[in-house]
Amino acid sequence: MGTVFSIVVRDPVPDTPEVLRRIAQRLHRIDAVFSTYRPQSDISRLGRGELALDDCDPEVRPVLAACREVAAQTDGYFTERPGGRLDPSGWVKGWAVEEAAALLRTSGARQYCVSGGGDVQTSGGPWRIGVADPRQPGRLAAVLSGSDLAVATSGTAERGAHILDPHTGRPADGLASLTLVGTPGTGIARTDAWATAAFAMGPERALAWAARRPGVEALAVLPDGTKRWTPGLPGHLPPSGPADWQLAAR
């Protein structure tokens, strides 16, 4: 998927190494089907018209359906065809994290963290999750804290201005990064897809949209380094956080 996955298990059991092996196999399988970096993946072949949807892996159809559902939820700011090319990665990466987390939970683990390319799903806790500073590599813009979190960040820190506004076809440049914090019921796949869409909206629309979603909070970092957030975001910050985080929503 062009990114790195990491897993932390605080309550391992004797078969945890085997579960991690199965997770690796599952992630490689998802990559083989959905990677846009692999010319022979089902998604690449479907996008080029070499493979019909009915002939694709059975998981392709529900993934594309999920993408269309998110598009409807975000006024079209999410699409499985950014720039006109079939690429459902905005859903698949978070979904892959969910799949790994589900295998851990099935094994009996209750204290774990799965991270994949900026998407984090935790169980139990509390956990502390660093949000990368998009303007200063190696530094953090914020640290989030809590239990049973779904945290997704979209931005320019790793891949530059790669997120397109589907309505204009141009790179979205109103934000440097946008982090969404969701509940376990929301899941990281949907949280990540929403973060991608909200980033394309720009700061004003993104924060207003996130504030209307039950159980979702947002942290926006503007290109000049200014931080803005939704009213409930400070509830996810450690008690020792900077004094300015105790302000009301801005």
Side-chain angles (χ1 to χ4, degrees), residues 8-19:
V8 176
V9 183
R10 287 178 174 168
D11 57 348
V13 295
D15 67 342
T16 294
E18 172 60 22
V19 174

Side-chain angles (χ1 to χ4, degrees), residues 17-76:
E18 172 60 22
V19 174
L20 295 178
R21 187 187 67 80
R22 293 203 303 269
I23 288 173
Q25 290 179 329
R26 178 66 173 133
L27 294 177
H28 283 298
R29 174 59 183 165
I30 292 173
D31 185 60
V33 173
F34 291 97
S35 175
T36 58
Y37 297 95
R38 296 176 179 272
Q40 294 307 308
S41 72
D42 285 26
I43 281 296
S44 293
R45 295 177 64 201
L46 179 64
R48 294 195 302 266
E50 299 172 2
L51 191 67
L53 181 58
D54 287 343
D55 296 324
C56 289
D57 185 280
E59 291 187 308
V60 171
R61 188 182 293 275
V63 161
L64 296 181
C67 289
R68 290 190 292 270
E69 182 179 349
V70 174
Q73 293 168 340
T74 59
D75 299 324

Side-chain angles (χ1 to χ4, degrees), residues 93 117-119 130-132 151-155 177-180 192 195:
K93 182 159 58 69
D119 299 338
V131 178
V151 180
T153 297
S154 292
S177 74
L178 182 78
T179 298
L180 292 188
D192 180 36

Side-chain angles (χ1 to χ4, degrees), residues 11-249:
D11 57 348
V13 295
D15 67 342
T16 294
E18 172 60 22
V19 174
L20 295 178
R21 187 187 67 80
R22 293 203 303 269
I23 288 173
Q25 290 179 329
R26 178 66 173 133
L27 294 177
H28 283 298
R29 174 59 183 165
I30 292 173
D31 185 60
V33 173
F34 291 97
S35 175
T36 58
Y37 297 95
R38 296 176 179 272
Q40 294 307 308
S41 72
D42 285 26
I43 281 296
S44 293
R45 295 177 64 201
L46 179 64
R48 294 195 302 266
E50 299 172 2
L51 191 67
L53 181 58
D54 287 343
D55 296 324
C56 289
D57 185 280
E59 291 187 308
V60 171
R61 188 182 293 275
V63 161
L64 296 181
C67 289
R68 290 190 292 270
E69 182 179 349
V70 174
Q73 293 168 340
T74 59
D75 299 324
Y77 277 95
F78 183 87
T79 177
E80 77 272 21
R81 291 186 175 275
R85 176 189 177 211
L86 181 62
D87 181 3
S89 301
W91 173 269
V92 170
K93 182 159 58 69
W95 170 61
V97 172
E98 278 190 9
E99 290 290 291
L103 285 170
L104 284 171
R105 190 162 190 85
T106 299
S107 75
R110 293 297 180 268
Q111 293 279 344
Y112 57 80
C113 175
V114 182
S115 175
D119 299 338
V120 179
Q121 179 91 52
T122 73
S123 176
W127 296 86
R128 291 169 64 92
I129 301 168
V131 178
D133 188 328
R135 302 173 69 248
Q136 302 181 74
R139 300 192 65 178
L140 297 178
V143 175
L144 305 174
S145 178
S147 301
D148 301 317
L149 298 176
V151 180
T153 297
S154 292
T156 60
E158 297 294 331
R159 297 173 57 193
H162 68 287
I163 299 176
L164 302 179
D165 179 344
H167 297 293
T168 66
R170 297 191 297 270
D173 58 6
L175 287 162
S177 74
L178 182 78
T179 298
L180 292 188
V181 183
T183 64
T186 303
I188 189 60
R190 197 165 301 277
T191 302
D192 180 36
W194 284 348
T196 301
F199 184 93
M201 295 176 186
E204 299 295 337
R205 187 187 296 267
L207 289 171
W209 180 89
R212 295 194 299 268
R213 306 299 308 188
V216 175
E217 302 297 340
L219 166 64
V221 180
L222 276 60
D224 65 0
T226 301
K227 298 183 183 72
R228 301 178 63 188
W229 52 87
T230 51
L233 192 278
H236 292 294
L237 297 166
S240 59
D244 62 340
W245 285 113
Q246 308 309 316
L247 299 174

